[in-house]
Amino acid sequence: LDVRQQVAIQKEFLLPINASDQVCTEFGLHPELPAIKALYDDEDLLFFANTGALSQPVTKDNYYTLTNMQLFSHNHMQEETRTIDPYKLEVGTGILGRMTDVLTRY
């Protein structure tokens, strides 16, 4: 709350999301998203936890030499998320991009 100040939502107002096999067993969802919570509770929606474009730990001092991406730009990180493929299974595609392709077929 100290960092986000007026835009932070206090914990007691969040909609609880129970999770298993995660670092945390409970997450908080914005209180104005009860439809999302209902979909999750009905097992019709899932969240991708711990996804990101980094394949190794970096610091503010060494990220530029250890990565080839712009970490501090929202639109660049969205593109990285769509195209990330740390195992290089399919050149020019990313695992989340491939998932999106499959999900939009239905």
Side-chain angles (χ1 to χ4, degrees):
L1 287 175
D2 293 339
V3 175
R4 301 297 302 247
Q5 297 177 11
Q6 70 273 14
V7 296
I9 299 171
Q10 294 182 354
K11 189 176 181 177
E12 62 267 15
F13 296 114
L14 296 173
L15 300 173
I17 294 288
N18 295 314
S20 60
D21 299 325
Q22 296 294 323
V23 175
C24 300
T25 57
E26 187 175 66
F27 295 87
L29 193 60
H30 194 285
E32 293 187 22
L33 297 173
I36 299 294
K37 180 175 175 14
L39 287 168
Y40 179 81
D41 290 343
D42 292 342
E43 298 183 356
D44 290 325
L45 178 136
L46 59 86
F47 293 98
F48 290 97
N50 300 319
T51 60
L54 295 176
S55 58
Q56 63 182 316
V58 296
T59 67
K60 197 160 81 169
D61 298 321
N62 68 11
Y63 85 92
Y64 191 73
T65 58
L66 296 178
T67 70
N68 60 354
M69 64 187 78
Q70 296 185 24
L71 295 177
F72 305 105
S73 167
H74 183 72
N75 59 324
H76 285 101
M77 290 310 298
Q78 286 181 314
E79 181 62 23
E80 291 289 343
T81 301
R82 278 192 295 277
T83 60
I84 185 170
D85 189 356
Y87 302 111
K88 296 179 178 44
L89 297 177
E90 294 183 38
V91 176
T93 68
I95 188 161
L96 292 179
R98 293 192 299 270
M99 288 174 134
T100 301
D101 290 345
V102 170
L103 292 172
T104 56
R105 290 182 200 154
Y106 300 99

